[in-house]
């Protein structure tokens, strides 16, 4: 393929899945910051993703990096992080 804008390049996020992926990361980060205005979380995740994507040559893990950086940035801004409830992450026995 010669089109450099194609989402089918190795390591690139498919365009159709991008918004869904971003919304999922916003949701996960919002769960960790329940007392923070959802618009602040959404804006932080989207801003970080855009910043990281600017210089990325491989996007395979970009959403995961965005999540971690958004959590770090929100904590540095004074927002209270709440760990996931263990009941939510422990599989049923």
């Amino acid at each position: 393929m010669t089109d450099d804008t194609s989402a089918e390049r190795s390591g690139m996020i498919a365009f159709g899945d991008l918004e869904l992926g971003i919304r999922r990361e916003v949701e996960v980060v919002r769960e960790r910051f329940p007392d923070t205005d959802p618009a602040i979380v959404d804006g932080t995740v989207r801003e970080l993703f855009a910043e990281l994507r600017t210089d990325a040559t491989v996007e395979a893990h970009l959403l995961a990096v965005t999540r971690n950086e958004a959590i770090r940035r929100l904590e540095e801004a004074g927002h209270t992080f709440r760990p996931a409830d263990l009941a939510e992450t422990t599989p049923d026995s």
Side-chain angles (χ1 to χ4, degrees):
M1 208 174 253
T2 59
D3 180 7
D4 284 339
T5 62
S6 172
E8 294 182 22
R9 290 183 293 167
S10 177
M12 302 302 283
I13 298 168
F15 180 74
D17 296 334
L18 179 58
E19 181 58 28
L20 178 63
I22 291 172
R23 284 195 317 254
R24 182 179 183 319
E25 295 308 318
V26 168
E27 180 180 314
V28 170
V29 175
R30 281 183 59 197
E31 289 173 358
R32 303 300 186 269
F33 294 89
D35 300 329
T36 299
D37 181 345
I40 291 173
V41 174
D42 185 82
T44 299
V45 170
R46 290 176 185 279
E47 178 181 310
L48 273 165
F49 181 79
E51 288 173 15
L52 293 170
R53 195 174 193 202
T54 299
D55 296 325
T57 55
V58 176
E59 294 184 347
H61 302 288
L62 198 53
L63 288 170
V65 172
T66 298
R67 177 191 305 181
N68 291 333
E69 286 300 307
I71 288 170
R72 184 189 59 76
R73 188 175 284 185
L74 288 166
E75 285 182 306
E76 286 178 355
H79 298 279
T80 303
F81 175 84
R82 302 216 192 284
D85 183 359
L86 292 178
E88 294 174 13
T89 58
T90 305
D92 292 333
S93 301

